[in-house]
């Protein structure tokens, strides 16, 4: 392991909330105090706005097909970096607490935020319809699966799938271990890994399997992120530490 530094000073007591490698293989780091970029093995801050705004918490980083960098923040909306210029991305209805950003296969931008979900396509915004109170619930994680369905996680309302304009909701009634969902990841076999406040859920062939502290799989039950690397290792980030398993294990 290596300690990375902000200029000449080691960053202490900083929460890392987003990591992204762009098309130029540049590494971007979103933190609770701003946006950083790896340059010569050092973390260099990339200011998003005037210091009069104080620290800006970066929650999500994504790149568009035309190589613009979209930076979601929790409290200051979205910034767009194009070459050496950074501009504010205009959002409707005073939406400023961004949880996640995603471009789908049609190059539409999906924005999860404190009150629901927005879609930006062909210069127009559309909000998620008020189905079962979805639009009034904070939405965090979002993915597009191999079939083109959009899956998103609701902080208090379980997991939602949008396919061909039809919503399907998964809650504890359908088999989840908790309705507070933080993240979702699609594996190579199209199964879904779902991080909740109570552990890790694996949805495969319509059935849920559970992994948590009690059955010895996790270091903490609040799962914030899941990812399988190119070697088949499943990485599970929890509030109490990081767990990893090889592909045959789970």
């Amino acid at each position: 392991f290596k300690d990375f530094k902000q200029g000449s000073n080691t960053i202490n007591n900083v929460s890392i909330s987003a990591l992204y490698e762009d098309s130029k293989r540049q590494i971007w780091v979103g933190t609770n105090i701003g946006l950083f970029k790896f340059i010569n093995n050092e973390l260099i801050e990339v200011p998003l706005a005037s210091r009069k705004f104080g620290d800006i918490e970066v929650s999500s980083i994504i790149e568009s097909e035309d190589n613009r960098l979209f930076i979601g923040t929790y409290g200051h909306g979205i910034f767009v970096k194009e070459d050496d210029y950074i501009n504010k991305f205009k959002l409707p209805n005073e939406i400023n607490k961004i949880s996640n950003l995603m471009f789908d296969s049609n190059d539409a931008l999906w924005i999860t935020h404190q009150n629901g979900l927005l879609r930006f396509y062909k210069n127009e915004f559309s909000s998620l319809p008020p189905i079962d109170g979805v639009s009034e619930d904070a939405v965090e994680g979002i993915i597009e699966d191999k079939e083109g369905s959009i899956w998103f996680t609701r902080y208090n309302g379980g997991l939602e799938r949008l396919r061909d304009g039809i919503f399907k909701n998964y809650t504890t009634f359908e088999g989840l271990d908790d309705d507070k969902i933080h993240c979702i990841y699609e594996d190579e076999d199209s199964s879904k890994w779902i991080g909740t406040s109570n552990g890790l859920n694996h949805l495969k062939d319509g059935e849920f399997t559970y992994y948590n502290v009690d059955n010895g799989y996790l270091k903490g039950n609040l799962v914030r992120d899941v990812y399988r690397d190119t070697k088949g290792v499943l990485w599970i980030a929890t509030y109490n530490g990081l767990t990893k398993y090889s592909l045959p294990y789970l």
Side-chain angles (χ1 to χ4, degrees):
F1 291 90
K2 176 180 174 60
D3 286 331
F4 291 97
K5 298 180 178 182
Q6 176 187 355
S8 59
N9 300 312
T10 300
I11 295 180
N12 295 314
N13 302 317
V14 170
S15 174
I16 306 297
S17 48
L19 292 170
Y20 190 77
E21 182 180 13
D22 66 19
S23 58
K24 297 178 181 177
R25 308 202 71 175
Q26 300 174 114
I27 303 297
W28 299 86
V29 182
T31 77
N32 61 324
I33 62 171
L35 178 68
F36 292 81
K37 179 182 177 182
F38 272 115
I39 300 177
N40 297 325
N41 285 325
E42 288 190 343
L43 280 173
I44 306 300
E45 185 176 8
V46 180
L48 294 173
S50 168
R51 274 294 176 194
K52 69 180 181 181
F53 292 105
D55 292 336
I56 296 179
E57 180 178 352
V58 174
S59 54
S60 183
I61 306 167
I62 194 77
E63 186 178 18
S64 63
E65 284 191 348
D66 58 2
N67 304 123
R68 291 181 297 163
L69 204 65
F70 285 69
I71 302 115
T73 73
Y74 200 77
H76 294 272
I78 298 173
F79 294 87
V80 179
K81 185 179 187 304
E82 186 172 7
D83 298 324
D84 294 327
Y85 299 95
I86 297 178
N87 296 301
K88 197 75 179 289
F89 186 70
K90 186 173 177 57
L91 292 168
N93 303 324
E94 299 182 353
I95 292 168
N96 54 32
K97 294 180 179 179
I98 309 302
S99 299
N100 221 324
L101 301 172
M102 182 194 75
F103 282 101
D104 66 18
S105 54
N106 294 316
D107 202 32
L109 175 64
W110 294 78
I111 304 161
T112 70
H113 59 88
Q114 77 272 26
N115 294 321
L117 183 64
L118 276 177
R119 181 174 182 262
F120 183 71
Y121 185 58
K122 295 183 177 179
N123 293 319
E124 290 187 0
F125 285 100
S126 57
S127 295
L128 189 72
I131 297 174
D132 191 29
V134 175
S135 64
E136 299 175 357
D137 197 10
V139 177
E140 295 192 2
I142 184 167
I143 64 167
E144 180 182 23
D145 69 16
K146 295 177 177 64
E147 297 178 344
S149 298
I150 303 295
W151 296 74
F152 54 92
T153 68
R154 295 162 56 190
Y155 184 68
N156 285 306
L159 180 67
E160 203 83 26
R161 185 192 71 194
L162 174 60
R163 177 184 292 172
D164 299 326
I166 299 173
F167 291 89
K168 178 176 175 55
N169 184 230
Y170 296 85
T171 65
T172 52
F173 185 78
E174 282 75 28
L176 283 168
D177 67 0
D178 199 298
D179 286 339
K180 290 185 177 180
I181 315 292
H182 302 286
C183 63
I184 179 171
Y185 175 77
E186 184 180 34
D187 218 332
E188 289 298 320
D189 62 358
S190 297
S191 64
K192 311 297 187 296
W193 296 95
I194 302 133
T196 77
S197 291
N198 200 38
L200 181 65
N201 294 223
H202 189 205
L203 176 59
K204 185 174 183 178
D205 300 326
E207 300 290 332
F208 285 98
T209 307
Y210 313 104
Y211 305 92
N212 51 44
V213 171
D214 292 338
N215 57 30
Y217 283 97
L218 302 181
K219 295 185 179 298
N221 278 338
L222 200 159
V223 177
R224 291 308 307 263
D225 205 0
V226 182
Y227 178 75
R228 192 183 296 283
D229 65 22
T230 55
K231 295 181 180 179
V233 175
L234 190 72
W235 296 83
I236 306 154
T238 78
Y239 265 3
N240 290 356
L242 188 65
T243 301
K244 67 174 184 176
Y245 291 111
S246 59
L247 180 59
Y249 195 83
L250 294 182

